[in-house]
């Protein structure tokens, strides 16, 4: 079959140089192509170039052929006007911001419907039904709907003009796992019914594995590998693809140490000559540092391609070393450190409570997880434990009567906003040491503990990558030597390859310092790699708790079962 | 099909906000009444003005104004009079404050409304256009002009306009209010333009920022990606940007009503601004009280109007309702 969308020689050039360099891609009707990459890979810019939405100062080169019509991408929005919406449509990441907040959903869907005025209402009703929404949604405003429902409305809106190609830019990343699955199932069904092609842009290898027929891997603005999904992920040829796949934490087993890619993702224009991945690659040699490989080496059918001088062979690519840790007990810890009993908290009278009779216990040196989706109350629980929020009812009892700074410390989701941008790393860590009554001269030791070079003490947070910033935030939290380290979604704003490094660090710190960990996360696989015991929260209540091993093997509660079943790509 | 957000709640919203406004005005009136006591010196002497009173006269004043009654009793009597339309007697001119204010209020209101209309008609479209073409020559030119407009003091702008359009080219009258009716409006054009320049520059900036902010939103990118025409995208953006513009418009009107004083003096207009200036100098406390109360009422009612408009144009506010 001929491709419905074919892009050749795509360049996206920003003020600092190329953001995407020479990308080709094609997708056939009814098929799904996933473009996988981390931050700075250029995957979103590719989507923007194809829909004429590049920001000012950034322009594209190359051609796109849609359904046989060839267009020059350099023409931007004007050149693409003929296909935009009508043949190629876009679904954005955040359903909370992608619809106009002051317009009702019906008119927003109707805006690009090609039907007569008196048929609009019927057609809107039909389109809502197509995405499994009741007709009353037409007269509702976006803020009256849940995230999943909003994304369905957005989907109905992007399909209103019956495009041949739908580009989804992280279309489910902002959604809870259970909702994520529903929306992706819906897209798959619509694709089948309409014979529509889907370009799925995602950072999540699990989603790509499950949904895509073909995968393109991008790194620092380059296409590094391409191939049919199962083949590409089964036997990756490019070391980056292999690293990305292996850093993605598994749910079924707990690894002694997660494979990770050293270093961090470079900015697209910030790389030296040679292969963009060479600085992080174990296989790199002199040639890799001088000569840039092109997407060449292919197999017989020509679909498979990679850009590497030293591709992995079948054996090297297929093997992941798995070391399983010993299973843990189901029961309560022998030495409780902190006990929360019957905790209740309600923020608004007309909303359901954030915490509804929650009881948990964390033992000394134990790693405990609190898992739940948005609105489950998990973050409120963490904040109450730290004294950042008060309980309406219930108790929090600490076994040892110690100063607050040495009881518990927290690591937040977004390290860039958790660190004071005006303070050097050294000053921030020194302050934290003093707060715990420690010697402030221990800053170098602290930096070494979290795997950062000692000279970083003189830098400010802005000069560090996201992963490095999170290491600093962790160092700051462990500086006062707390009994328990609370981590609230500590890796969800980080790239997959960096996420594994941070999870390994948390495991090491716990062993070395004898810390207790309380990990708050929506990501079961992340929890799996760190915690022994887990509490599953849903709408302010703990619905199930027990050893992580047991929950993975045999979840009891209906919600836990649904949560585990929703994890993509496993 | 009816939305969950019934429009029937608008009436209730207005009633509650109105009640809140009345409470606010009562609190303000209390402060205004206290002016008599906050002014330095003996209230009885202050009420007599710069005359040298005999003890008998002072005693008569104290009796007339019930100055020996408890403070709260005096306030209740005063506010009762105010509600009935009796704002006391001017010390300086010895005529009723209400009749003193009547004509002047109309003039100032005309001036403020004219300036407000000029501002909206000119500044809002300019702001929208500048935001839509951010970075263009048009945007940079108007933005630069707006900085001058915000910075230039209104008396200086007034004098410049007077000189150029009044004296040099003799297009507009330079002085006074003319013969009433249309001629009065004609006389108010220059002063209103003077006022509108400073305020308009502010409204331009606010509009530009509001529209720019909306243009960066995801829903605009999403609308374009879906193939909506530029016209349709523009309507989407303007409807959203309207909310901050209405809010700032209300503030601007309230400021205009209290801010006419310099312009009234420059153009020799008998409005309340000029009267306030004279009355403060003369310590004509009943007049100052009346003008302060009047201005406060206009500001409070403007805020009420903004709330009601916001309620009707922002469904999110409507959903939060009266909580």
């Amino acid at each position: 079959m001929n491709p419905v969308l074919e892009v050749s020689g795509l360049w996206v050039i920003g003020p600092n140089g190329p953001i995407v360099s020479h990308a080709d891609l094609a997708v056939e009707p009814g098929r799904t192509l996933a473009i996988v990459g981390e931050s700075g890979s250029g995957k979103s810019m590719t989507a923007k170039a194809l829909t004429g939405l590049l920001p000012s100062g950034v322009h594209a080169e190359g051609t796109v052929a849609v359904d046989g019509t060839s267009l020059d991408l350099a023409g931007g929005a004007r050149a693409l006007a003929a296909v935009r919406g009508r043949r190629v449509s876009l679904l954005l990441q955040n359903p909370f911001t992608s619809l106009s907040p002051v317009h009702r959903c019906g008119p927003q869907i109707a805006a690009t419907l090609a039907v007569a005025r008196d048929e609009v209402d019927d057609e809107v009703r039909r389109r809502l039904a197509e995405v499994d929404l009741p007709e009353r949604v037409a007269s509702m405003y976006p803020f009256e709907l849940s995230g999943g429902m909003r994304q369905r409305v957005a989907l109905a809106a992007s399909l209103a003009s019956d495009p041949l190609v739908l580009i989804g830019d992280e279309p489910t990343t902002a959604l809870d796992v259970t909702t994520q699955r529903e929306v992706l199932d819906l897209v798959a069904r619509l694709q089948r019914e309409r014979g529509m092609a889907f370009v799925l842009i995602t950072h999540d290898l699990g989603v790509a594995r499950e949904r895509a027929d073909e995968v393109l891997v991008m790194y620092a603005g380059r296409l590094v590998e391409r191939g049919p999904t199962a083949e590409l992920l089964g036997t990756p040829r490019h070391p980056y693809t292999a690293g990305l796949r292996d850093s993605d934490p598994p749910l079924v087993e707990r690894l002694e140490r997660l494979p990770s890619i050293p270093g961090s993702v470079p900015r697209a224009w910030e790389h030296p000559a040679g292969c963009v991945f060479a600085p992080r690659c174990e296989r790199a040699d002199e040639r890799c540092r001088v000569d840039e490989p092109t997407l060449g080496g292919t197999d017989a059918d020509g679909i498979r391609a990679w850009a590497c001088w030293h591709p992995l062979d079948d054996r090297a690519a297929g093997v992941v070393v798995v070391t399983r840790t010993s299973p843990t007990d189901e029961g309560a810890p022998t030495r409780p450190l902190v006990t929360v009993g019957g905790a209740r908290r309600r923020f608004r009278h007309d909303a359901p409570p954030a915490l509804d009779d929650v009881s948990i216990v964390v033992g000394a040196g134990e790693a405990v997880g609190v898992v739940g989706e948005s609105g489950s109350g998990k973050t409120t629980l963490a904040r109450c434990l730290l004294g950042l929020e008060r309980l309406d009812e219930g108790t929090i009892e600490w076994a040892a009567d110690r100063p607050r700074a040495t009881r518990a410390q927290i690591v937040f989701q977004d390290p860039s906003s958790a660190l004071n941008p005006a303070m050097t790393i050294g000053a921030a860590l020194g302050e934290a040491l003093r707060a715990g009554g420690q010697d402030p001269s221990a800053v170098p030791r602290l930096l070494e503990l979290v795997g950062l070079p000692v000279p970083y003490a003189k830098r400010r947070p802005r000069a560090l990558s996201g992963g490095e910033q999170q290491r600093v935030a962790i160092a700051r939290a462990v500086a006062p030597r707390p009994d328990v380290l609370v981590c609230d979604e500590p890796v969800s704003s980080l790239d997959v390859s960096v996420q594994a490094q941070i999870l390994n660090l948390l495991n090491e710190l716990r062993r070395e310092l004898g810390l207790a960990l309380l990990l708050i996360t929506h990501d079961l696989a992340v929890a799996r790699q760190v915690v022994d015991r887990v509490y599953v929260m849903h709408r302010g209540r703990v619905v199930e708790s027990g050893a992580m091993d047991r929950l993975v093997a045999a979840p009891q509660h209906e919600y836990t079962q649904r949560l585990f079943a929703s994890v993509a790509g496993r | 099909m009816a939305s969950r957000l019934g429009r029937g709640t608008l009436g209730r919203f207005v009633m509650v906000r109105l009640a809140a406004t009345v409470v606010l005005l009562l609190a303000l009136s209390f402060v205004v009444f206290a002016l008599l006591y906050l002014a330095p010196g003996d209230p009885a002497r202050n009420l007599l003005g710069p005359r040298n009173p005999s003890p008998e006269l002072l005693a008569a004043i104290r009796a007339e104004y019930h100055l020996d009654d408890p403070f709260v009793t005096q306030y209740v009597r005063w506010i009762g009079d105010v509600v009935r339309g009796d704002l006391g007697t001017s010390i300086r001119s010895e005529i009723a404050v209400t009749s003193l204010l009547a004509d002047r209020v109309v003039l100032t209101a005309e001036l403020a409304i004219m300036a407000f209309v000029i501002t909206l008609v000119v500044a809002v479209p300019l702001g929208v256009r500048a935001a839509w073409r951010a970075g263009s020559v048009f945007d940079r030119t108007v933005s630069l002009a707006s900085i001058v407009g915000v910075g230039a003091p209104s008396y200086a702008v007034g004098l410049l306009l007077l000189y150029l359009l009044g004296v040099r080219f003799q297009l507009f009258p330079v002085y006074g209010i003319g013969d009433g009716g249309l001629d009065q409006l004609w006389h108010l054009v220059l002063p209103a333009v003077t006022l509108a320049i400073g305020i308009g520059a502010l409204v331009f900036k606010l509009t530009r920022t509001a529209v720019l902010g909306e243009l960066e939103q995801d829903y605009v990118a999403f609308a374009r990606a879906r193939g909506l025409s530029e016209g349709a995208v523009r309507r989407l953006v303007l409807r959203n940007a309207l909310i901050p513009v209405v809010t700032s418009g209300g503030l601007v009107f309230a400021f205009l009503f209290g801010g006419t004083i310099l312009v009234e003096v420059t153009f020799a207009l008998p409005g309340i601004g000029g009267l306030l200036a004279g009355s403060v100098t003369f310590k004509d406390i009943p007049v100052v009280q009346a003008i302060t109360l009047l201005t406060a009422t206009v500001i409070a009612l403007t805020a009420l109007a903004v709330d009601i408009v916001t309620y009707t144009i922002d469904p999110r506010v409507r959903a939060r309702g009266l909580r």
Side-chain angles (χ1 to χ4, degrees), chain A residues 116-129:
Chain A
R117 192 171 284 260
D118 56 342
E119 290 165 25
V120 165
D121 287 350
D122 286 341
E123 189 61 24
V124 166
R125 204 169 304 138
R126 203 154 36 240
R127 299 303 178 118
L128 283 171

Side-chain angles (χ1 to χ4, degrees), chain A residues 184-257:
Chain A
L184 288 171
D185 284 345
L186 175 62
V187 173
R189 197 194 80 211
L190 294 174
Q191 245 184 301
R192 273 196 311 277
E193 290 169 6
R194 293 162 166 257
M196 181 178 70
F198 184 34
V199 178
L200 171 65
I201 292 177
T202 181
H203 73 285
D204 188 334
L205 227 48
V207 168
R209 188 197 308 267
E210 198 175 272
R211 303 290 170 174
D213 301 303
E214 199 184 315
V215 174
L216 288 179
V217 181
M218 289 187 80
Y219 182 77
R222 309 291 195 286
L223 283 185
V224 295
E225 189 162 5
R226 172 180 89 201
T229 309
E231 235 178 276
L232 181 124
L233 292 174
T235 53
R237 302 295 175 185
H238 199 286
Y240 174 67
T241 311
L244 198 61
R245 181 195 63 178
D246 296 345
S247 334
D248 199 19
L251 179 63
V252 283
E253 51 213 341
R254 180 167 179 182
L255 305 182
E256 184 69 37
R257 192 179 167 78

Side-chain angles (χ1 to χ4, degrees), chain A residues 68-340:
Chain A
T69 318
S70 186
L71 300 163
D72 184 3
L73 284 168
R78 204 161 300 163
L80 292 166
V83 297
R84 200 154 77 163
R86 281 176 271 280
R87 297 197 194 159
V88 180
S89 199
L90 181 71
L91 188 58
L92 295 172
Q93 170 171 356
N94 192 340
F96 295 92
T97 56
S98 60
L99 295 165
S100 165
V102 298
H103 292 87
R104 292 173 201 268
C105 294
Q108 299 203 53
I109 295 170
T112 51
L113 279 178
V115 294
R117 192 171 284 260
D118 56 342
E119 290 165 25
V120 165
D121 287 350
D122 286 341
E123 189 61 24
V124 166
R125 204 169 304 138
R126 203 154 36 240
R127 299 303 178 118
L128 283 171
E130 195 184 12
V131 295
D132 302 329
L133 288 175
E135 62 172 279
R136 68 187 159 84
V137 170
S139 59
M140 289 169 81
Y141 291 97
F143 70 89
E144 298 176 274
L145 304 172
S146 70
M149 290 173 87
R150 288 190 212 197
Q151 196 64 319
R152 285 164 193 270
V153 172
L155 185 60
S158 43
L159 298 186
S161 48
D162 301 317
L164 303 170
V165 182
L166 178 68
I167 301 178
D169 189 357
E170 303 270 11
T172 56
T173 306
L175 303 175
D176 284 325
V177 276
T178 50
T179 319
Q180 194 169 356
R181 171 161 297 267
E182 288 164 15
V183 170
L184 288 171
D185 284 345
L186 175 62
V187 173
R189 197 194 80 211
L190 294 174
Q191 245 184 301
R192 273 196 311 277
E193 290 169 6
R194 293 162 166 257
M196 181 178 70
F198 184 34
V199 178
L200 171 65
I201 292 177
T202 181
H203 73 285
D204 188 334
L205 227 48
V207 168
R209 188 197 308 267
E210 198 175 272
R211 303 290 170 174
D213 301 303
E214 199 184 315
V215 174
L216 288 179
V217 181
M218 289 187 80
Y219 182 77
R222 309 291 195 286
L223 283 185
V224 295
E225 189 162 5
R226 172 180 89 201
T229 309
E231 235 178 276
L232 181 124
L233 292 174
T235 53
R237 302 295 175 185
H238 199 286
Y240 174 67
T241 311
L244 198 61
R245 181 195 63 178
D246 296 345
S247 334
D248 199 19
L251 179 63
V252 283
E253 51 213 341
R254 180 167 179 182
L255 305 182
E256 184 69 37
R257 192 179 167 78
L258 277 169
S260 66
I261 308 175
S264 51
V265 181
R267 297 182 174 98
W269 59 89
E270 246 180 19
H271 79 91
C275 172
V276 279
F277 187 60
R280 298 175 75 187
C281 185
E282 286 173 358
R283 303 167 76 87
D285 63 9
E286 214 32 58
R287 185 184 187 191
C288 301
R289 289 184 195 96
V290 181
D291 217 357
E292 183 170 354
T294 51
L295 199 68
T298 54
D299 54 2
D301 55 11
I303 295 174
R304 200 67 206 279
W306 50 86
C308 183
W309 297 126
H310 307 293
L312 302 163
D313 58 25
D314 283 359
R315 232 169 352 144
V319 179
V320 185
V321 184
V322 175
T323 324
R324 220 170 168 290
T325 55
S326 58
T328 46
D329 315 332
E330 171 90 1
T334 45
R335 267 197 312 137
L337 189 69
V338 57
T339 313
V340 178

Side-chain angles (χ1 to χ4, degrees), chain A residues 104 141 144, chain B residues 2-11 13 311 318-319:
Chain A
R104 292 173 201 268
Y141 291 97
E144 298 176 274
Chain B
S3 163
R4 289 202 278 129
L5 304 168
R7 294 195 182 270
T9 51
L10 177 64
F13 177 82
Y311 184 89
R318 216 148 61 222

Side-chain angles (χ1 to χ4, degrees), chain A residues 546-569:
Chain A
M548 191 74 192
D549 285 343
R550 204 268 298 157
L551 254 74
V552 172
Q556 300 296 311
H557 192 273
E558 177 272 330
Y559 174 72
T560 319
Q561 289 167 354
R562 194 148 51 89
L563 198 62
F564 277 83
S566 300
V567 175

Side-chain angles (χ1 to χ4, degrees), chain B residues 29 32-33 35 78 82 85-90 96-102 105 257 272 275-276 279 284-298:
Chain B
S29 71
V32 166
F33 177 72
L35 273 180
W78 178 77
V82 168
D86 176 8
L87 288 155
T89 308
S90 163
V97 173
T98 35
S99 52
L100 192 62
L101 282 181
V105 168
F257 198 80
I272 56 167
L275 179 64
L276 180 64
S279 304
D284 193 346
I285 288 175
V287 178
V288 175
Q289 282 176 326
I291 294 176
T292 313
L293 202 58
L294 184 70
T295 312
T297 309
V298 170

